[in-house]
Amino acid sequence: MVGVALPFLLLAVTAAILVRAVTSHFQSHLGMLLTLAAAIAIALFVGYEQFAVARTYEQAISRSDELSDELGEREAHFRVLAEAIPQMVWTASPEGTPEYFNQRWLDYVGAARFSQLPWLERVHPDDEAAARTAWKASLASGKVLALELRLRSATATYRWHLGRAIPLRDEAGAIVRWLGTFTDIDDQKRAAETLIRLGAIVETSEDAIFSKDLKGYITSWNRGAEKMYGYSAHEMIGRHISQLVPPERTQEIDAMFELLSRGQSIEHVETMRLRKDGRPVEVSLAISPIRDSAGTITGASTIARDVTERNRAADALRKTEKLAATGRLAGTMAHEINNPLEAVTHLLYLIEKNPSLDDAAREYARVATEEVSRIGHIARQALGFYRESAAPVEVSIAELIENVVQLYSAGAQNKNVRLETQLETRATIPAFPGEMRQVFSNLIVNAVDAVQRGGVVKIRVKHGRDWKSNALGIRVLVSDDGPGIPEAVRLRIFEPFFTTKGEKGTGVGLWVSEGVLERHGGRIRLKSSTGSMQGTTFSVFLPYA
């Protein structure tokens, strides 16, 4: 108040002097009053202005103190937050000079409290150049800094962090401070790298690897699956797994999902699946349930391995073992059977030459001699391991079949089975007649055995063409109207020692026949149906010379 009163007194003195001057000048009482009133008004106005200035100054000082306290509170609040959050927090001046690091940073790098060593000193050498360049660019442009880098810990190990820094600006837009954080992303980074590696392994695997949801709809499909099944990922994702399953195996899907729903895995189950082109493929399956973070089963992953070639190799090995056993058996048969057959042959020769026989009996003796001779050939051939030593000769397949039909007509008649022949050509081919007789005897006998009483077996000989080589030759069709051969049996019909006749069958007839035909450059095919149009047809092709 002293500062305000002093100017006021000075102003009053000045007014009094002015009054005296005016009084002496005007020498008028009225003039003196007017002059005094003007001086008082001026003094009051100046006093009020001084008072207002003083009050404003005091208010400014009070506001400054309040702002200072508020900033202190905000700074304290910021530091509390900076110490509480899981990230490492730091601040820097507008030029980038470190000002503050929270305790998490100090603990991580092993620095003393209040240390202000630049964070760039802790960056991995391989990341330092890029980090320094990015930081300088942000300081120059005022733009947010964001980068991934490795920071060295107090134990001299490096972990990946996500670094971010944002500029804090005043009301005029000028940068007053940089606020930065480092977030540890090492675990996520390594997990992502692991997923990338696993993804690469899955994509480059020769096995089919795919996943599906609990309803059986495919959600992922790798290149191995594309190669194995022939479907692209675009074609299969969203499609049901039953598309790969043969109709007769669809019950497998329900059984597998039942096990998966109980949390059980399925390991190394061998089954059959279908390719896009319809061809079957033998696979070994390993199926595991997929769980979410809560442990709930959400789907299943499947690894399928093509075991077709492996199974073929195993089958070939088994056949080789069977062939070896057959060879040993053949040697024994050739030794044990040959001598009694020779004795029977001599006896039949003597019977045939006996003058007391009529022509019919003599013909029977001749046919018996030929069949005994054929038995001897079969024994010497050792079930297909020995080929007739003579060169092939021109053989009329039609005439050969006529002889075979004549031989087995009596047995067919006993079963009330009718043998019908349709011989459209009597052309010849180079062949071993004994082996050819063996082939068609097997086919005709099997056909007679397959039909019921009153059935029909048809044998047709005609000109033909090979389906694969387009070569010309003779085709022989042996058809019956029996119940047909089931699909599972058809797949094994030419395997050695596989038979459906029980104790009556040896399982070598068709196997030997196939081998004989292959040695003659021919082939044999099977067509059978168990439906309303039931029956079986064996088609034999033999090329001309």
Side-chain angles (χ1 to χ4, degrees):
M1 297 300 296
V2 175
V4 176
L6 182 60
F8 180 77
L9 292 175
L10 292 176
L11 182 61
V13 171
T14 303
I17 295 173
L18 181 62
V19 168
R20 286 179 63 88
V22 172
T23 301
S24 59
H25 178 72
F26 291 100
Q27 296 293 318
S28 172
H29 182 71
L30 180 61
M32 182 182 64
L33 291 176
L34 291 174
T35 302
L36 180 61
I40 293 172
I42 293 172
L44 290 174
F45 175 77
V46 172
Y48 176 79
E49 287 296 322
Q50 289 292 330
F51 177 78
V53 170
R55 184 172 180 81
T56 301
Y57 177 74
E58 290 178 356
Q59 289 178 344
I61 292 176
S62 176
R63 180 59 179 165
S64 175
D65 292 339
E66 290 177 358
L67 289 176
S68 178
D69 292 341
E70 184 179 349
L71 289 175
E73 290 177 359
R74 290 184 178 181
E75 183 72 17
H77 185 62
F78 162 75
R79 292 185 178 251
V80 170
L81 291 177
E83 296 297 333
I85 64 175
Q87 286 84 6
M88 294 183 286
V89 182
W90 55 274
T91 62
S93 68
E95 297 76 24
T97 303
E99 294 180 343
Y100 164 78
F101 290 96
N102 71 346
Q103 191 61 44
R104 290 187 181 276
W105 167 267
L106 300 175
D107 292 341
Y108 180 79
V109 300
R113 190 164 182 80
F114 306 120
S115 173
Q116 294 184 350
L117 184 70
W119 56 265
L120 282 169
E121 301 296 326
R122 292 288 179 168
V123 177
H124 192 284
D126 293 344
D127 305 333
E128 182 180 1
R132 191 177 297 277
T133 300
W135 180 221
K136 287 183 178 179
S138 292
L139 291 174
S141 64
K143 294 182 178 179
V144 173
L145 172 71
L147 73 165
E148 293 182 1
L149 72 173
R150 287 163 289 182
L151 296 174
R152 187 175 73 254
S153 69
T155 58
T157 59
Y158 288 90
R159 291 182 64 84
W160 281 99
H161 289 76
L162 172 63
R164 288 182 58 83
I166 60 174
L168 303 181
R169 302 176 184 271
D170 59 16
E171 296 178 355
I175 297 175
V176 296
R177 177 183 289 180
W178 285 88
L179 174 62
T181 60
F182 288 118
T183 304
D184 191 325
I185 59 170
D186 195 76
D187 293 337
Q188 299 93 310
K189 190 84 171 179
R190 296 184 188 280
E193 291 174 353
T194 300
L195 288 176
I196 292 173
R197 287 195 296 269
L198 289 176
I201 293 172
V202 168
E203 279 302 305
T204 57
S205 174
E206 289 295 319
D207 294 335
I209 303 176
F210 55 93
S211 60
K212 49 190 177 289
D213 61 23
L214 291 178
K215 293 184 179 180
Y217 290 95
I218 293 173
T219 55
S220 68
W221 187 260
N222 77 331
R223 293 181 183 177
E226 292 183 354
K227 182 178 179 181
M228 181 182 299
Y229 293 110
Y231 292 99
S232 67
H234 177 72
E235 292 175 301
M236 284 307 296
I237 292 178
R239 305 291 290 273
H240 199 268
I241 189 65
S242 59
Q243 185 168 333
L244 304 175
V245 182
E248 67 275 9
R249 293 179 179 266
T250 52
Q251 71 280 0
E252 292 180 0
I253 300 177
D254 295 334
M256 290 179 177
F257 272 105
E258 176 64 25
L259 292 174
L260 291 168
S261 66
R262 298 200 297 265
Q264 299 181 28
S265 297
I266 301 170
E267 297 183 3
H268 308 301
V269 173
E270 293 198 7
T271 184
M272 191 76 68
R273 292 293 181 259
L274 294 178
R275 290 174 47 84
K276 182 179 180 179
D277 57 13
R279 290 189 292 118
V281 55
E282 299 175 49
V283 296
S284 175
L285 300 178
I287 309 176
S288 302
I290 298 175
R291 302 177 186 270
D292 60 17
S293 57
T296 304
I297 298 174
T298 58
S301 64
T302 299
I303 301 177
R305 176 165 296 178
D306 187 343
V307 295
T308 305
E309 293 302 323
R310 188 203 69 185
N311 289 347
R312 287 177 181 173
D315 289 341
L317 179 60
R318 286 193 293 269
K319 289 180 180 179
T320 301
E321 293 173 349
K322 291 179 180 180
L323 291 175
T326 303
R328 292 190 293 270
L329 176 63
T332 302
M333 290 178 61
H335 177 73
E336 299 294 335
I337 296 176
N338 195 49
N339 290 336
L341 283 179
E342 288 184 0
V344 173
T345 301
H346 291 315
L347 291 174
L348 288 174
Y349 175 77
L350 294 175
I351 293 173
E352 183 182 354
K353 297 302 181 182
N354 192 318
S356 63
L357 294 179
D358 57 19
D359 291 340
R362 187 170 287 107
E363 177 63 18
Y364 290 150
R366 185 189 65 78
V367 173
T369 301
E370 289 181 355
E371 291 306 310
V372 170
S373 176
R374 189 167 72 87
I375 293 174
H377 273 291
I378 294 174
R380 289 193 301 273
Q381 286 172 342
L383 300 180
F385 289 100
Y386 171 82
R387 179 175 291 180
E388 297 177 64
S389 59
V393 297
E394 291 296 321
V395 177
S396 171
I397 299 298
E399 293 178 5
L400 185 145
I401 287 180
E402 282 181 323
N403 293 334
V404 174
V405 169
Q406 182 183 359
L407 180 63
Y408 293 105
S409 59
Q413 290 175 2
N414 291 336
K415 192 179 177 181
N416 194 22
V417 173
R418 188 169 74 255
L419 297 180
E420 296 181 358
T421 58
Q422 185 177 350
L423 309 178
E424 301 176 8
T425 177
R426 292 187 177 272
T428 62
I429 61 168
F432 296 96
E435 294 186 356
M436 286 294 102
R437 189 179 291 109
Q438 183 178 354
V439 169
F440 294 113
S441 294
N442 283 329
L443 295 178
I444 293 172
V445 169
N446 287 345
V448 172
D449 290 342
V451 300
Q452 304 295 325
R453 295 185 64 83
V456 179
V457 175
K458 298 181 179 180
I459 304 100
R460 182 183 181 188
V461 180
K462 63 175 185 175
H463 292 290
R465 188 183 295 273
D466 182 46
W467 300 285
K468 291 187 176 181
S469 65
N470 209 30
L472 294 174
I474 293 177
R475 185 170 298 282
V476 180
L477 303 174
V478 180
S479 305
D480 65 66
D481 58 356
I485 303 174
E487 183 178 1
V489 176
R490 284 178 235 162
L491 297 173
R492 304 184 60 191
I493 198 73
F494 293 105
E495 289 184 9
F497 307 109
F498 176 78
T499 179
T500 59
K501 298 179 181 180
E503 296 296 329
K504 297 191 301 180
T506 62
V508 297
L510 290 175
W511 169 54
V512 171
S513 298
E514 184 181 41
V516 169
L517 292 171
E518 288 178 353
R519 289 197 296 272
H520 283 77
R523 66 180 71 248
I524 183 171
R525 291 184 63 185
L526 165 66
K527 184 178 181 181
S528 185
S529 174
T530 57
S532 57
M533 301 294 292
Q534 65 184 30
T536 300
T537 298
F538 282 91
S539 176
V540 173
F541 175 80
L542 292 163
Y544 291 130

